[in-house]
Amino acid sequence: FSHLPVVHPENEEWTCFEQSASLDIKSFFGFESTVEKIAMKQYASSIKKGKEIIEYYLRELEEEGITYVPRWSPCPPSPTKPVVPVVIPALPITPTISIEAPPESVNEIQVYKLDADYIKRYLGDLTPLQESCLIRLRRWLQETHKGKIPKDEHILRFLRARDFNIDKAREILCQSLTWRKQHQVDYLLDTWSSPQVLHDYYTGGWHHHDKDGRPLYILRLGHMDTKGLVRALGEESLLRHVLSINEEGLRRCEENTKVFGRPISCWTCLVDLEGLNMRHLWRPGVKALLRIIEVVEANYPETLGRLLILRAPRVFPVLWTLVSPFIDENTRKKFLIYAGNDYQGPGGLVDYIDKEIIPDFLGGECMCEVPEGGLVPKSLYRTAEELENDEIRLWTETIYQSASIFKGAPHELLIEIIDASSVITWDFDVCKGDVIFNIYHSKRAPQPPRKDPLATHGITSPAGNNVQLIDKSWLLGQDYSMVESPLTCKEGESVQGSHVTRWPGFYILQWRFHSMPACATTNLPRVDDVLATLQVSSHKCKVMYYTEVLGSEDFRCDVVEDLRFGFPQKKE
């Protein structure tokens, strides 16, 4: 591995920073490709940290007014005097923390200060800086996500996962909110019904709580037939089941907060590895496990308070080597691993769980209702085609659609209105890039979108799910008219709105590419500017949307219901 600065080959006034790595895997139990991916992920993380360090010092130079640094050259030693090494003591550096104040006055800021009793009762100890970060992120969500706003406890988890760095927390939180909306995770507990094979052979379940009042989940992984479950259910059904477990955990945390009178925002997981062997390292099963970990880490940060791993066998280090790189460093610090019967002594299970609720299969007296598992009968196995169709069904069970927008190729949606005074409602997220949202009206129906000529030759168009309806020969103001002012929407924003139709006919909802202004040039270009330029050059945006047409009376009822629950619709 190397990380060397070199002079740019075409401009000697520039410095290039290069990193390189070499990896040679001879044999790793058939998981050579997986280990390569793990190494690449670690390497990519290292590159990202290096970029942040370089940007930090570039900003320091800019703030000091330094726009040019001469090339360093070593001083030749004096021929008459011996070279004596000089030790320069390190200068004391006092770290400074700048808090971006909201634009409101001091009195308005005080209004948004959280109540001390509320913090103590529901959120836990927060420093003034942490409280400020929570308020600022919540208010940003209220300004950009006009619909339902997550609870403070949920926002706080993402802030803690990024050490209260608002920009980083906002990025992963917005991605998670979009993911939750796309797959309707908020309704998962009401809509997901676990197949019977999970009830019989999935060896996990909730079991009372630990000494801190956290909900306790027990997983007897060593008794689970991972291969049988994957072959009988598929990867997507297992993922959906694990997500329902996490949603249930969040609900139990809220209940325990009320019961114990103190904030409980995470749960404890006890994993019993008795019976774990090489058959659990079946590659499709490990692949499914890694994907589940990745999804959970991205969308449920700081929900695991403690992980107790008991009776770890000799094969456990192999599984740990495969899994640990996909687990956040802060999460790994919460792992406590016991080999053999070490969990029964001092510093073991009794330090975290009351003796009377220790399960009977761990030497306790409490009867545990977690299934014992066993091998899934091969008669329940499904063919690859059946599993693929089921996975497609699971991921398409969403009311939201996605579309790509390119420069010069907007995405358009046609809505036919029969009765005037109907209400067109929309709800969309800008997943990538910036877009401009328009609504047009036409008395005549646009022609159906022409079939992609590339598709007739077996070539897939890069536009994918991009639909254009307005013919290029149409004239604005003659063939169609604009009925709403254009709305510019930034990346990461969630937009809800409605339009009351005045005439029957055909309405076209349009999302088009918004060209970003050219980046300001400086003597010391920042990496963010370079990345922004690359993003503009890609000429691609992406939105996820849902629309519905309501009668005026139905719409008013919906608005009243939304206001009752504190989630008013944005009116356009």
Side-chain angles (χ1 to χ4, degrees):
F1 177 84
S2 63
H3 186 175
L4 300 174
V6 296
V7 178
H8 193 279
E10 298 179 1
N11 188 338
E12 63 178 11
E13 300 298 328
W14 291 357
T15 302
C16 298
F17 293 87
E18 298 181 355
Q19 295 188 74
S20 62
S22 176
L23 180 66
D24 185 14
I25 301 174
K26 299 296 183 182
S27 175
F28 201 88
F29 304 98
F31 290 97
E32 289 80 6
S33 61
T34 303
V35 175
E36 288 179 1
K37 293 178 182 179
I38 293 173
M40 288 303 299
K41 182 173 182 179
Q42 296 292 91
Y43 181 53
S45 176
S46 174
I47 291 176
K48 184 177 180 181
K49 291 180 180 178
K51 169 198 161 192
E52 293 176 353
I53 293 172
I54 293 172
E55 287 179 328
Y56 171 81
Y57 284 106
L58 286 176
R59 286 194 295 268
E60 289 290 310
L61 290 174
E62 285 184 331
E63 291 176 0
E64 295 176 7
I66 299 175
T67 58
Y68 176 78
V69 178
R71 183 187 299 182
W72 176 84
S73 59
C75 298
S78 173
T80 57
K81 297 181 180 180
V83 179
V84 179
V86 179
V87 179
I88 302 176
L91 297 176
I93 300 177
T94 303
T96 59
I97 300 177
S98 59
I99 303 178
E100 178 187 351
E104 293 79 8
S105 65
V106 175
N107 291 333
E108 289 175 324
I109 295 175
Q110 292 297 326
V111 171
Y112 287 97
K113 181 177 176 62
L114 298 178
D115 182 75
D117 292 337
Y118 167 75
I119 295 176
K120 183 178 180 181
R121 180 69 174 78
Y122 294 101
L123 303 180
D125 295 330
L126 295 177
T127 66
L129 177 60
Q130 292 171 344
E131 181 183 347
S132 171
C133 291
L134 174 59
I135 295 174
R136 289 161 56 194
L137 182 53
R138 183 179 63 185
R139 294 185 61 193
W140 181 85
L141 289 171
Q142 291 171 337
E143 294 171 359
T144 57
H145 292 251
K146 307 301 181 182
K148 183 178 180 180
I149 303 299
K151 296 180 180 179
D152 286 344
E153 301 94 308
H154 193 72
I155 300 174
L156 198 56
R157 289 187 179 98
F158 286 85
L159 282 168
R160 285 173 173 153
R162 291 298 180 267
D163 297 324
F164 286 87
N165 182 308
I166 289 186
D167 292 335
K168 293 181 179 180
R170 177 170 53 197
E171 179 183 358
I172 61 173
L173 177 56
C174 289
Q175 293 173 354
S176 179
L177 292 176
T178 300
W179 171 83
R180 293 182 68 88
K181 178 181 290 187
Q182 182 176 7
H183 302 297
Q184 303 184 65
V185 180
D186 288 336
Y187 310 104
L188 190 59
L189 291 180
D190 298 325
T191 59
W192 169 248
S193 179
S194 300
Q196 187 61 39
V197 65
L198 283 173
H199 290 285
D200 296 337
Y201 297 99
Y202 189 87
T203 56
W206 294 99
H207 181 77
H208 301 284
H209 55 78
D210 68 2
K211 288 187 175 182
D212 295 322
R214 298 167 175 167
L216 175 63
Y217 190 82
I218 294 179
L219 180 64
R220 304 183 70 177
L221 186 59
H223 286 219
M224 186 181 296
D225 180 11
T226 53
K227 180 179 180 179
L229 289 175
V230 172
R231 293 289 298 273
L233 295 171
E235 186 177 314
E236 300 302 332
S237 290
L238 279 176
L239 174 59
R240 190 68 64 96
H241 182 64
V242 173
L243 295 181
S244 70
I245 293 172
N246 280 270
E247 289 297 306
E248 174 66 16
L250 295 178
R251 187 187 67 80
R252 287 174 178 261
C253 285
E254 292 184 2
E255 291 181 352
N256 286 17
T257 296
K258 298 175 182 178
V259 171
F260 293 96
R262 62 178 183 272
I264 296 174
S265 60
C266 53
W267 54 80
T268 293
C269 184
L270 187 155
V271 181
D272 180 23
L273 296 183
E274 183 191 42
L276 188 76
N277 53 46
M278 290 299 294
R279 68 182 175 85
H280 289 89
L281 299 183
W282 182 59
R283 274 177 284 184
V286 173
K287 174 178 171 290
L289 176 61
L290 294 179
R291 177 157 179 259
I292 289 172
I293 291 175
E294 187 175 12
V295 172
V296 171
E297 281 284 309
N299 298 286
Y300 299 92
E302 295 298 314
T303 53
L304 181 65
R306 183 180 297 116
L307 180 65
L308 302 169
I309 299 177
L310 309 184
R311 302 197 278 195
R314 290 184 177 182
V315 74
F316 174 72
V318 179
L319 180 62
W320 179 250
T321 301
L322 296 172
V323 170
S324 60
F326 292 86
I327 302 174
D328 183 75
E329 182 179 354
N330 291 333
T331 304
R332 289 201 300 265
K333 295 177 181 178
K334 302 171 184 177
F335 285 32
L336 296 173
I337 303 173
Y338 300 90
N341 294 322
D342 293 346
Y343 69 93
Q344 295 180 346
L349 205 54
V350 291
D351 286 3
Y352 307 103
I353 302 175
D354 289 330
K355 186 176 181 181
E356 57 269 18
I357 66 168
I358 294 179
D360 52 345
F361 60 85
L362 293 175
E365 300 177 357
C366 186
M367 295 297 295
C368 184
E369 297 181 357
V370 175
E372 294 186 3
L375 295 177
V376 178
K378 291 186 177 181
S379 60
L380 298 178
Y381 286 12
R382 303 171 69 188
T383 64
E385 183 178 357
E386 290 175 335
L387 291 176
E388 182 179 358
N389 292 336
D390 190 51
E391 291 179 359
I392 293 175
R393 178 187 62 80
L394 286 174
W395 282 118
T396 54
E397 285 181 346
T398 171
I399 59 176
Y400 290 89
Q401 302 180 57
S402 61
S404 298
I405 298 113
F406 301 85
K407 190 172 184 179
H411 178 73
E412 295 166 342
L413 177 68
L414 180 65
I415 297 177
E416 183 178 4
I417 296 297
I418 305 299
D419 300 324
S421 300
S422 297
V423 182
I424 302 174
T425 65
W426 57 83
D427 178 357
F428 66 88
D429 288 348
V430 185
C431 305
K432 178 182 179 182
D434 298 343
V435 301
I436 296 177
F437 178 64
N438 284 301
I439 304 180
Y440 300 103
H441 173 262
S442 174
K443 294 182 179 179
R444 59 171 173 156
Q447 293 297 321
R450 291 177 296 176
K451 189 174 182 180
D452 191 346
L454 296 176
T456 60
H457 300 283
I459 302 175
T460 303
S461 169
N465 51 352
N466 176 272
V467 177
Q468 299 174 59
L469 299 168
I470 299 177
D471 193 274
K472 292 183 178 180
S473 63
W474 281 21
L475 296 177
L476 183 63
Q478 179 177 331
D479 299 290
Y480 67 109
S481 60
M482 182 182 295
V483 297
E484 289 279 356
S485 300
L487 181 64
T488 302
C489 309
K490 300 292 184 180
E491 180 175 332
E493 287 189 351
S494 178
V495 181
Q496 293 82 34
S498 61
H499 173 77
V500 180
T501 61
R502 298 177 59 186
W503 316 280
F506 301 91
Y507 288 80
I508 302 172
L509 276 58
Q510 181 194 76
W511 293 267
R512 63 183 174 87
F513 184 89
H514 176 55
S515 298
M516 297 173 59
C519 300
T521 58
T522 61
N523 292 330
L524 290 172
R526 295 181 299 174
V527 176
D528 281 344
D529 295 336
V530 177
L531 294 177
T533 304
L534 292 175
Q535 184 182 23
V536 173
S537 64
S538 67
H539 302 314
K540 180 178 179 180
C541 301
K542 186 175 181 180
V543 297
M544 185 181 67
Y545 64 90
Y546 168 71
T547 62
E548 186 178 6
V549 178
L550 302 172
S552 57
E553 293 297 327
D554 296 334
F555 178 73
R556 279 196 287 269
C557 291
D558 284 349
V559 171
V560 170
E561 190 70 16
D562 288 333
L563 290 173
R564 185 181 304 165
F565 287 97
F567 307 133
Q569 294 273 353
K570 174 187 175 183
K571 302 300 179 293
E572 297 294 341

